Amino acid sequence: DFAIGYEQGAKAVNPDIDVNVSWTQSFDDSSIGKDISLGLYQQGYDVVFSCCGNCGLGAFDAVVEMGEGYYVIGVDGNQGEYWESIGEAAKAAATITSMQKNVNNAFLRAAGLHLEGKAPYGANEKLGLALGGVSFSVTDATKAILGDDVIAEIEKAQADIVSGAIAVDTAF
């Protein structure tokens, strides 16, 4: 669904955009992630949305190797903030944003529902944007790369997804 949602969002902004989905077949080998990312950048793609666990960390090495004008989107947590916190300024500066999985919100919701006696045991629940299950991070790099107007458009799109005005496609 990451790939489907990413492509849908990109095409909503630019219907003619070329989105290339590449599979690493790995969640732990960062050298594969780096090699695939370098190949995409060298083919003319300027953004890699890297969502494949430790393998995806290779995209951050690749973006630094490629230099200015190339970007990466992280996943799971705020990777731009993480890189900044450990002194990896070049990686932080090239990180447009991250698609955050807010597992903390899911845990707190589940615990609260349990305490209220309303936990839906045996059933799946999708938290999504409306319930804070996912979000996108905004860092200094996000602001520098995208600017306030684009960030406001993203926030509007989020509100439209939550309201149902935009239906996000799914593979499921």
Side-chain angles (χ1 to χ4, degrees):
D1 269 7
F2 285 177
I4 290 170
Y6 179 83
E7 184 169 1
Q8 182 182 357
K11 288 189 180 286
V13 173
N14 176 359
D16 298 324
I17 196 165
D18 181 21
V19 176
N20 181 329
V21 178
S22 298
W23 301 101
T24 63
Q25 306 303 318
S26 173
F27 280 99
D28 60 1
D29 188 342
S30 64
S31 66
I32 294 171
K34 180 180 179 183
D35 289 346
I36 288 176
S37 297
L38 283 172
L40 290 168
Y41 292 134
Q42 291 164 355
Q43 290 174 54
Y45 297 94
D46 53 359
V47 176
V48 169
F49 176 28
S50 178
C51 48
C52 49
N54 287 337
C55 181
L57 297 177
F60 295 91
D61 294 328
V63 79
V64 170
E65 187 173 314
M66 291 300 294
E68 194 171 320
Y70 295 93
Y71 304 98
V72 66
I73 297 173
V75 74
D76 295 338
N78 186 339
Q79 288 186 292
E81 182 178 81
Y82 168 74
W83 294 123
E84 191 69 41
S85 75
I86 63 167
E88 294 275 0
K91 290 178 182 178
T95 305
I96 296 173
T97 187
S98 296
M99 190 292 304
Q100 295 183 192
K101 295 180 197 169
N102 300 320
V103 177
N104 57 328
N105 291 344
F107 176 80
L108 290 172
R109 179 172 170 77
L113 289 171
H114 171 78
L115 292 172
E116 294 171 8
K118 299 177 183 176
Y121 291 106
N124 290 326
E125 182 179 39
K126 293 182 182 180
L127 298 188
L129 286 171
L131 296 175
V134 293
S135 62
F136 82 104
S137 58
V138 177
T139 64
D140 290 341
T142 310
K143 294 173 188 172
I145 296 165
L146 299 180
D148 292 337
D149 291 345
V150 173
I151 293 170
E153 288 179 36
I154 294 168
E155 290 169 345
K156 167 84 168 76
Q158 283 188 143
D160 287 346
I161 290 167
V162 170
S163 75
I166 295 175
V168 179
D169 295 335
T170 179
F172 296 101

